[in-house]
Amino acid sequence: MKNQQAANRPDNTAFTQQRLPAWQPMLSAHVVIPGFLLIGMAFIGIGVALYITSQNIQVLEADYTGTGQYTNCSECANMQTTPCICNVTFSLTTLFTAPVFLYYGLSNYYQNYRKYGVSRDDVQLWGDPTRSPADACAPYQYIDSKPIAPCGSIANSMFNDTFSLYQIINGTKKEVPLDGKGIAWWTDYNIKFRNPTQGSLQDAFNGTMKPVNWSKPAYELDLGDPNNNGFLNQDFLVWMRTAALPDFRKLYRRITGGDYALGLPPGDYVLQIEYNYAVKDFGRKKVVLSNVTWMGGKNEFLGIAYLVVGSLCIVMSVVMLVVYAKYKFADENA
Amino acid sequence: MTHSIDRLSCCFRRPETTGDSETTPLLRPPHQDREIPLPAALRHVFPNNAISVNAITPSHKQLMDRYPGNKIRTTKYTLLSFLPKNLFQQFYRLANIYFVFLVAINWFPQMEVFHREITMLPLLVVTVASSLKDALEDFRRYKFDRIVNYRAASVYDWKQQDFVLKRWKDVRVGDFVKVVCNEVIPADILLLNTSDPNGVCHLETANLDGETNLKQRQVVRGFAAPNCSFQPEHFSGTVVCEKPNKTLTHFKGYLAMPEKKKIGFGRESLLLRGCTVRNTDNAAGIVVYAGHETKAMLNNKGPRYKRSKLERKMNTDVLFCVGILFIMCLIGALGQYFWLGTFPSIPPFVPPDSNNVYIPPSLSGFYMFFTMIILLQVLIPISLYVSIELIKVGQVFFITNDVDLYDEETDSRVQCRALNITEDLGQIQYVFSDKTGTLTENKMVFRRCSIMGTEYCHKENALRLAALDEAESDEEDPAFPQKKVPSRLQFRKGKSGAALRRWNSARARIGVRGQAEVTLSPHSDVAFSSPLETDVAPDRRLQRITGDEAGQMEAWCRVSRINGGACYMDFFLALAICNTVVVSTAMHPRQRVTGPLNFSTTLKSLGHIQTLLKRLGSLSHVISSLHSISEKSSPTTPASPPSPAASGPAGDKEDMGGITDSGSLNTSLEDSEADLPPTEEAATERSTDPNSDGLCYEAESPDEAALVHAARAYGYTLLARTPDHVTIRLPQGSLLTFEILGTLAFNSVRKRMSVVVRHPVTNEVVIYTKGADSAIMERLAKSAENQPEENKRKRIAAKTQRHLHLYAKDGLRTLCIAKKVMSLQAYTDWLAVRQEAESAIDNREELLMETASHLETNLTLIGTTGIEDRLQEDVPATIASLRKAGIQVWVLTGDKQETAVNIAYSCRLLDQSDVVFTLSTASLDECNSFLDCTLEEVKRYGVQPPWQSGSRGPAFGLVLEGHTLGLLFEAGLQLRLLELSRHCRSVLCCRVTPLQKSAVVKLVRNKLKVMTLSIGDGANDVSMIQAADIGVGISGQEGMQAVMASDFAISHFKHLKKLLLVHGHWCYSRLASTVIYFFYKNVAYVNLLFWYQFFCGFSGTAMIDYWLLIFFNLLFTSVPPIVFGILDKDISAGTLLSLPELYKSGQNSEGYRHSTFWVALLDAFYQSLVCFFVPYLAYQDSDIDIYSFGTPMNTASLFTILLHLAIEIRTWTVVHWVVMVGSVLLYFIIALSYSALCIDCNPPSNPYWIMENQMADPVFYLVCILTTVLALLPRYTFRVLQGTLALSPLVRARQLDTLSPQVRESFIREWRSQEDASEAASDQVLSSPTGPGSPTEPTVDRGLSLHKDGNEDTEKPFSPGHRRSISTMTI
C-alpha cells in the first residue's frame, strides 16, 4: 500500500536532486594572481629560449626569379631557351653548421588553391598508373583517351628547376654533394605512394601519358637513381605535399655527406640553377640555404610572441593586485 | 413510475406534430421514403439488426459503410509509409531544408567543397536520429493501439440473435453494444437500456477528463420501458445526430421511430468512449460514433508546442548569423573575383575546368559565393537546435525528478507537458492566479448558516476545526501570530464576533498530518468524503430548534403557508435534496445506493402517513398520528440500524452532536459533551468513524458535499438518490422519500440550481433552489399577500443580506437557499414547455435556460450558508517570495469581492499597509474619473513602481470587479487601467468570467510585453492558462481540464516557488549561457576557415581535414555544452530560495541579451583571429603543408573552445570533468587513429600521419599553448574582474555559495535585513502623516477598514480618496 502510493516519488539521489558534490571555482583577483605570475614567468622563459634558438639559425636566401636584383637569371626569365642555366654566387664568412638544408621557395604561388589542391588521384599514386584517373584530375586526366600518370594539376605543375652547389676553391668548382634521399615524408615514400611492382617501371607505365608540362615521363625523372623514379621520386613527393600558404619553401636537398658533414665551411660558393619553371608572371622564386634546429627553421615570431604574452601575464597580475587592493579597500570602507 | 413514463412519452409526441414546421428538415421515418437524400449536416445511424439490415437501401448501406470502424490508429506511419512520410515531415523543417540546400549546391562541381557524402553527413545524422525517435514513439503508439483494438466488447450479432464477444476494432457504427459494470466503453454509444430500473447508468470519466466523481447518464427518455429486457432486434428506429465533433458538453439528436415518432436526446444519453461504467450492472446502446470519430479521440491532442522567449530572441540572432554568413560569403566571392584579376596571365595553380576552359573571374566569384556557404555552413547553428532539444529533455528530467515538487498525498510529481519552454520559467514577470483550488484548497467546510434572518455561527464547529488545526500544526507560520492564541481563549472572545471570524478565515496552513491520518480510513479514496472537511459540529442553538421536530413537521406539512417553524426543516431538506450528490456505501464506494437499504418498516410507516393524510384530510389528526407512528417506529430503528457499520462500538456516538434516534434531544448528553475541552472533543471525534452509517457522498462540486454533510450533522441524512426519488432520513429516524420531478442543473451562467420535488404529504410541487446570492436575491417574491408578510420578508432579506456580507468578509463562500411552492397544475404547464425545449434541436440550451428561469421566480428566501474554502499550505510565503522576486501577482477569481479581498489579505497578497483602491462601478464616467484620480494619486509617489525602484513608497493594491472590467474593456480604457495597475503592487479581479480572465492576461502580455504565467486548477481557468506564456495547472480536485491545457502541472501552489525561483532560474541561466556559447563556438571555429580564405585565393579550401571538421562540432565539442546546459548550477537552490531577488536577473533577461550575443561574437572573432594568426605567423615561410598547418589550429581551437566553456562553467561535478577530459581525449584518439589509418580514404585531403607528425614536433605544442592562452586571456580577465568587483547580485550570491553554511546563513540574514530595513523605513515615513494611529491588533484594523470598504461599496460606489485604508505594519 505504502509502496504503491509512492510509486511516482522521484529518486532522492544526489544526481537527480542536482546535489552532486561540486567544485565551484570563484574567479577573483587574489586567486588568479599566482596563476598569472606563473604563466608569465614560464612564457618569458620559453620565449627567451625560442628567441635565442631562432637567432642561432643561419639562413641564406637568394631570389633568382630573374626580375629584380639577381640579374644573372634575367636572361633565363625572359628568353625561353631550354635548358637555361644561371648561377647564383655567395660567400660564407663563418661555418654554416650542419644540418644544412637547401630549399626552393615560391611566392604568391597558391598550391592551396582548392581546385588545384584536389586535382590529383591518390589511388593512382598508390601504384596503379594505368587505371582511369579520378575526375578530380580533369582536365589533366586523359590525353587522347590515355590516362595521364600522374594525373592532375599538381603533378602537371611540378617544380622542375634543378640546383647544384659548388664551392669555389682556388678558382675551381668543387661540387657539394646534395643528398636527395629522405627529403620527403617517410610515410609518403613508404606507404602513401607506391610504384607498380610487377615488371619494369617503364612497362608498368605503358599505355599512360606523361603530364602535359613534363618534359620526360615519370619513370625517367631521375636518371641517376632508378629507385627514385615513378611515383616514388622524392622531388615529386615533396611537390605533391601541397603547401599551406602562398609563400612557401620546399626542401630540395640536404647537405650531409663527405667534406660537408659538419656544414658548409667559409668560402665562396656558386649555385648553378637549371631554370625551367616560369613564375615571373605571378610570383617569385628563391633558393634558401638554412640549417634547422629542434624548432625547425628560423622563425623569430614564436619567441617574441611568448615574450610578449608572458609579459602581458605579468602585467595582468600587477593589475589584478591593484584591483584586488582597491576592491578590498572599497569593501572595508563600505 | 409508469405514470411519469407515460407523461414523458406523451410529451415527446408533441414536438413531433410540429416537426414539419421546424426549420431543419427532419428526417422522415426511414421505412416510408428511404430514398430521399439525407441532410448532410446530420449523421444517420441505421441499427445493425435483422430488421434494418434487410430493409436498408443500398445508398444508406453505403452511407453506413462510409462511417469509420472502431479501430484506432494513433500511429503517424505504417511500415510502408514510414520512410516517405517521415522524410517528408523532416524536410518540412527549416533546418533540414538548409541542409538539403547545402547538399544540393555541393552537388555542383563548381561549388563542391567537401565530398558530397560529407555534406550529407549532418543531414543524415539529424534525419536518422529524428527518424529513429519518431519510429520508436510510433511503435509505442502502435503497441498501445493494438492493446486497445483487441479489447473485447459484447456486440449484438443479428445472425445469432444475441450479444457475442468481438474485438473493439470490429465494432461498427450501428452496432448494439452491451457493457457491464467496470467495463470500459468501446465507442460513443447512445444509451438505450440499462439494468437500472430508472434507466440510469453511471460513468466514471477519469480517463477522459480526470474527474473521479460519477456522472449519470440516462436512457433516451421515452424510448423504452426500462424494466423489460432490451431486444436489439425490436429496435426499428434510426438515430439521427450531429456529425462527429469534439465538444464534450454538447450532443443532440433524435431517434426517428418508424411510427413517425421522434425522440430527442442529448448529452445525458451518450456514453463516451474511454469512460468506465460504474454502479450499473449492464447497459446497452447503439454505437453512433466509432474509432477516430469518438469524442474522446477527437479531443486527444498531442503535446503543445510553444516557443520560449529565449528561443524567439535566439532566432533573431540566428538571422544575424545568416547576415554575417552572407557578408562573409560575399567577401569570399568578391575576393575570388579580385584575386583572379591580379594575375596578368593564368597561373599554373588555377586549373581550367574539366573541359579545359578557364572560367571568367566573375562567374568564378559567383560560384565562390555558394562554395563559401557550404564551407561556412556551421555558422548557422543548426546543431544548436538539436542541442537545445537535448538540453531541455535533461532539464525536464531534473524538474520532474525534484523530490521537493512531489506530493505524497496524491503521489504526483510535477508534470512538464510542454517540453520546450523550461527557460521561460526563469523569466516570469506576472503571475495570474486563480483563487479557488489554487490559493485555497477547494475542500469545503461548512462553517455557519443563517436561517430566516437568524445567524447560527457554529462556534462549536469553529472550535473543533481550530482544535484540530492546533493539534496538527506545532510549527506555525510566524506571519500569523493570532493563531498562537489558545483556541479556547479565542473562542471565549470570539463570542463578540470579529476575532473569531478572523481566526476562522485567516488560517494559513492545513493540517497535513491530520489529513494523512484520515486518509487511512477505508473510504478515503472517495472524493470529498474526508471527515476533516466534511464533519460538522452542529450549532447547539440551531440543533435545539431543529430538534423540535414535531412542530416542524406540523408546520412543514402546511407547506403552502410560510411559517417560521418549518423553514428550518425546509432549510436542511434543501441542503440534503437540492444537489446531485450520489450516495454510495463506504464498503463499496462505487456501488450506488439506489434505494433505502433495509428500512422497509419505516418506509411503510411513511406510506402510512400518506394514506392517513389522504384518508383523514385533516392536518391536526395527521400530526398526532404522525407522532404516534414515529414513536412506534422508533424502537425498531436502533434495532435495525441503517447500515452494518452503525452497529459497531461507535454506534451511540456516531453523530457527535448527540442526535439520538428517539426524536427528542438528550440535553444532558449534549451538555456533558460540550463541557469537554475542545482538544479532547476533537480527539474523540477523530477516533470515531464519522461515516459510521457507511454512507459516502460523491458530489460534483465540493460545496455540495459540504452542504449534504452539514444537513446530515443535523440529522437530515441523504440516504439514497435515484433520478426520480430521493430518500432522506429525518432526525428522529423516519424516512421521507421525495419524488423528484425535475432537476435544473447548475451552470456558471445561471449560478444556481433547483430541484423540483413533489411534497410527499400535500402532493404540492416544491422547488428548492440554491445559488449565488446575486442569482437568488433578484428572483425572490416581490410582493406578498399581506403587509406583515411583506415586511417580514423584507426584514429577512435584509438580515440575510447582512449575513451574506459578513460571511463574504470572512472569506466564506456563500450560497442562498430558497424555496417555492406551486400547484401541480402550474407545474404541469411548465413541464410541457420544458419538454418542448428539451426535444428541440436548435437553440436547445437557450430554451432550456429560459424555461428554467421561468420556474425559478417568486422564490422565498430561507437562508444562506457559509462554506469555508481554506488556504493551501504556504500560500502567503510563496506569494511573498514571488513578490520579492519581482513578480507581480494578480488574482483573478470568479468569487465575489468581499470573499476575494479577504482571501487576498489572508494570503498576503494585500498587506495591511497597502493602499487599496477598489473599482466597482457600473458607470463608465465613474470609471474614468476613478482612473484619473487614482493615477494622479499614485503618481505622487513617484513614477517608478515602488517595488522596483530603490525608494519604497506605499504599496498599492487594486481591486477590480468583473463587470467594471468588462466596461473598461468595452470603452477601450484598458491601457489606462494597465498604467494604473503598473503602479500597483497587487491586483485582484473578482467576479470575472473565464473569458475576462484570458482577456486580462492577454492585455498584460501583449501591451506590457512581459512574460506571464497563469496558474489555475479548474475548467474555468483553461482559457487563462492558454492565454499566458506559461500555463500552470494544479492537479487538484476539479478535474483535469486545467492540467490538460497547461504546460506544467503541479500539485500545490507552493510548488510554484521552487519551480520558478530555482528551476526557472537554473533553466534560464543554463540555456542562456549555452545558447550564447553555441553562437560563440560556431563563429570562433568557422572563422578559422574564413581567415584562411585570404591565403588561399578565396578558393574555399579548408586546411582542416573534412572529417575532423565535421567531427569537431558533432563529437568533440558537442557534449560539454549540453552537459553544461543541463547541469550547470550558478547558484545553489538554497540560496536562490532564500534570496528571491536573484530571480530578477532572469526577468531582465540578463543572461542573454543582444549585447551579450554581440560580445560573444566579438570574442569569437578575436579568438579565431588568434587561433589562426598565431599558427600562421609561426609557420610562415616554412615548408608546412596544408593539413599540417591546420592541425595545430584545430587543436588550439579545441582547447580554446573547451576552456572557454570551462571558464563559463560555474559548478564542476564529476560529470563535467568526465565530459571535458573525455572530449579532449576523444579528439586525440580520433585524430590520431584517423591519420594513422586513413591512407587514401578521403582523396583530396591528405590526412595520413599528419597528426602523428605534428605531435612529434615541439613547435606544435608551443603554438597550441600560446594560442590558447592568448585567445582566452581577455575573457578570463573579464570574468576575474567581474568576480572580484562583484557588481551583480548573482556574483555576490555565488560567492555566498562558496562559504560554509553557517556563514552563509548569517550573510543572507544580513542581506535580508538590509532590504527589510529600507522597506520598514519607508513604511514609517508613510504611516506617520496618513496612518490612522497605530493599531496594535492588525486583525481588528483590517476588519474595520474592510468593513468601511464594504459599506462604501453599497452606498457610494465611487470615492477612491475615502476608500484608502492605510495602516502600519505592526508585525
Side-chain angles (χ1 to χ4, degrees), chain A residues 131-312:
Chain A
R131 92 187 265 272
S132 44
D135 290 340
C137 287
Y140 306 109
Q141 200 176 3
Y142 296 102
I143 295 171
D144 303 331
S145 61
K146 280 183 183 168
I148 298 176
C151 73
S153 293
I154 309 177
N156 190 46
S157 63
M158 187 175 146
F159 185 76
N160 54 1
D161 289 357
T162 55
F163 307 94
S164 38
L165 184 63
Y166 302 94
Q167 188 182 15
I168 299 171
I169 301 168
N170 306 325
T172 59
K173 291 205 277 188
K174 179 190 176 191
E175 181 162 10
V176 179
L178 298 176
D179 179 10
K181 286 212 174 74
I183 55 170
W185 282 33
W186 185 89
T187 49
D188 281 353
Y189 187 76
N190 292 291
I191 295 161
K192 196 168 166 61
F193 289 77
R194 268 190 208 171
N195 273 332
T197 43
Q198 64 271 49
S200 76
L201 208 53
Q202 191 167 357
D203 295 342
F205 275 83
N206 198 16
T208 65
M209 301 293 285
K210 69 174 174 63
V212 187
N213 289 1
W214 286 19
S215 51
K216 36 195 181 173
Y219 48 87
E220 286 171 1
L221 278 176
D222 190 348
L223 296 171
D225 182 358
N227 287 331
N228 196 21
N229 274 316
F231 296 146
L232 287 179
N233 177 274
Q234 294 273 349
D235 288 323
F236 176 66
L237 295 185
V238 169
W239 183 253
M240 289 306 280
R241 186 158 285 277
T242 48
L245 296 166
D247 298 340
F248 62 89
R249 58 171 79 153
K250 280 184 181 290
L251 188 56
Y252 183 70
R253 293 292 182 265
R254 292 184 299 174
I255 299 162
T256 49
D259 301 336
Y260 301 95
L262 293 174
L264 296 176
D268 292 327
Y269 294 87
V270 60
L271 188 70
Q272 192 181 318
I273 303 164
E274 191 186 310
Y275 194 115
N276 298 315
Y277 206 71
V279 294
K280 71 173 174 65
D281 286 344
F282 55 89
R284 309 192 69 79
K285 52 187 181 179
K286 63 183 177 187
V287 62
V288 183
L289 268 175
S290 166
N291 51 15
V292 293
T293 59
W294 57 271
M295 58 167 287
K298 187 181 180 81
N299 190 334
E300 288 170 351
F301 167 76
L302 260 188
I304 294 170
Y306 263 96
L307 285 173
V308 169
V309 175
S311 332
L312 208 64

Side-chain angles (χ1 to χ4, degrees), chain B residues 447-507:
Chain B
R447 295 307 296 264
R448 42 205 329 195
C449 64
S450 150
I451 304 171
M452 297 308 274
T454 317
E455 213 268 312
Y456 300 94
C457 65
H458 286 74
K459 56 203 177 199
E460 295 87 351
N461 197 29
L463 198 62
R464 186 185 68 85
L465 288 165
L468 259 178
D469 240 29
E470 191 155 290
E472 284 152 9
S473 48
D474 309 320
E475 6 81 68
E476 281 284 15
D477 195 309
F480 291 83
Q482 63 263 49
K483 287 193 79 180
K484 294 279 188 202
V485 186
S487 64
R488 256 180 129 177
L489 188 64
Q490 185 76 30
F491 166 53
R492 304 289 176 230
K493 275 203 303 190
K495 288 193 169 171
S496 56
L500 179 62
R501 270 183 277 120
R502 203 81 321 277
W503 161 280
N504 293 342
S505 63
R507 82 180 59 246

Side-chain angles (χ1 to χ4, degrees), chain B residues 156 325 580 594 722 899 1048 1291 1368:
Chain B
Y156 180 75
L325 176 70
T580 54
T594 47
T722 67
T899 319
F1048 296 89
V1291 179
T1368 48

Side-chain angles (χ1 to χ4, degrees), chain B residues 45-179:
Chain B
V45 178
F46 301 100
N48 194 3
N49 56 13
I51 308 177
S52 180
V53 166
N54 295 330
I56 195 167
T57 63
S59 70
H60 291 169
K61 189 163 168 23
Q62 263 179 12
L63 188 74
M64 286 298 286
D65 287 342
R66 243 181 282 143
Y67 296 144
N70 200 35
K71 183 177 180 174
I72 56 156
R73 202 171 66 84
T74 56
T75 58
K76 277 198 225 155
Y77 317 104
T78 62
L79 260 181
L80 270 178
S81 76
F82 178 76
L83 209 64
K85 213 168 165 184
N86 186 255
L87 281 182
F88 175 77
Q89 291 220 324
Q90 296 231 12
F91 290 124
Y92 202 69
R93 266 187 257 158
L94 200 69
N96 291 342
I97 286 180
Y98 178 66
F99 280 132
V100 172
F101 169 69
L102 290 175
V103 170
I105 56 176
N106 202 40
W107 213 259
F108 293 99
Q110 292 90 348
M111 299 169 234
E112 178 183 352
V113 182
F114 305 139
H115 270 266
R116 288 161 191 176
E117 306 86 64
I118 291 185
T119 334
M120 277 196 245
L121 190 78
L123 181 67
L124 221 68
V125 168
V126 170
T127 9
V128 167
S130 321
S131 291
L132 275 180
K133 199 189 87 192
D134 288 351
L136 258 172
E137 275 176 8
D138 222 39
F139 184 66
R140 210 174 298 146
R141 278 194 288 264
Y142 166 76
K143 281 204 299 196
F144 181 74
D145 286 354
R146 219 181 122 83
I147 294 170
V148 170
N149 282 332
Y150 280 75
R151 277 193 203 153
S154 180
V155 180
Y156 180 75
D157 188 334
W158 58 273
K159 288 172 189 142
Q160 297 183 26
Q161 301 273 316
D162 198 7
F163 285 96
V164 293
L165 279 185
K166 278 191 180 177
R167 289 168 180 158
W168 271 33
K169 65 179 181 124
D170 299 324
V171 174
R172 295 201 55 84
V173 174
D175 278 349
F176 294 93
V177 172
K178 191 162 81 179
V179 274

